[in-house]
Amino acid sequence: MNVHFWGVRGSIPTPLSAQQIRTKLYAALQRIKSEDIESDEAKLNFISSLPWWISGTAGGNTPCVELVLKDGSDIIFDAGSGMRVMGKFADPPAHSHYHLFMSHFHWDHIQGLPFFDAAYNPNIIFDVYSPYPQMKEYLETQMSSPFFPVPFSGIEKHFNFHLIEPGQVLNIGTAEISCTKMGHPGDSYSYAVVEDGKKFVYATDIEIGSKDFVRTEEKAAIFENADVILIDSQYTVEESLRKVNWGHSAFCYAIDFAFMWKAKKVFMFHHEPTYDDRRLNTILESAKWYANYVSGSAMEIDIACEGAVIEL
């Protein structure tokens, strides 16, 4: 399966500010040498040598992650503002069919759907899955007057809604998909996708607590032995202690959780909207040190960046 990160930011879209761009430019200028501008090739090599937080960005769009299975089946997790970008740049689904799985229906996870081009194409079918019986009502409300000019009734004919339950295994294309409920205000559901023995876990908007380290068969089916886990790592410990019951995790708790469930690779996700790229890089370096401390070389740590693609 191919996994594409279209939106990785938490809570609210956060475009780069002018000050953040100036900070990146200043950091780049501090590193430049005369030989780095001797030719176009030298300039490009210099840019390529810069750390990601200077030459790029983690991105400011809210959660949307696309999986394309080996048979072309197209699975989307959440419909945050990253979904609008997906609509502009992603290849159309091979079967004119999207499978949209919702972790929950907070604003940052649904706000991209009304701006997703394919939602207005009557030839593309959407199957929407979640454990929330009111899922259709929630999407209708978002697009009702005065919040949006186009009502959901204008697109609903090619949307099908499927109520699923934790522990239930769905067969979609060449994969099996299942979910479990996690701690978050109003609840949130984490998903596992298994194809050809490879497991990808989508675990956003979770506030990891002691109960999550208690083994249950349902949680083991989702989290155990994941090849890749995309996990809520919004806070530092200090911030998480000030925001108890806000529904998000400190990065070190996410690492402890992933290590306990024997994950191979962790992508930190749902980034705090007040953290710029430099701060996120500092957190990433701290997370790598901590992961090495708790696991040795058993677990790899990275940060989810908008536009990145991984293959399992």
Side-chain angles (χ1 to χ4, degrees), residues 229-246:
I229 180 169
L230 188 66
I231 189 167
D232 187 314
S233 312
Q234 183 160 343
Y235 298 141
T236 62
V237 172
E238 184 273 334
E239 189 164 15
S240 71
L241 294 175
R242 290 190 284 110
K243 296 182 176 180
V244 174
N245 297 326
W246 283 40

Side-chain angles (χ1 to χ4, degrees), residues 181-184 207-216 219:
K181 183 166 71 174
M182 299 295 288
H184 189 72
E207 186 165 1
I208 295 170
S210 57
K211 65 182 184 303
D212 296 308
F213 293 88
V214 177
R215 181 185 177 86
T216 66
K219 280 192 168 56

Side-chain angles (χ1 to χ4, degrees), residues 65-76:
V65 175
E66 180 189 25
L67 275 69
V68 179
L69 304 179
K70 68 178 184 180
D71 72 340
S73 295
D74 205 305
I75 296 167
I76 305 171

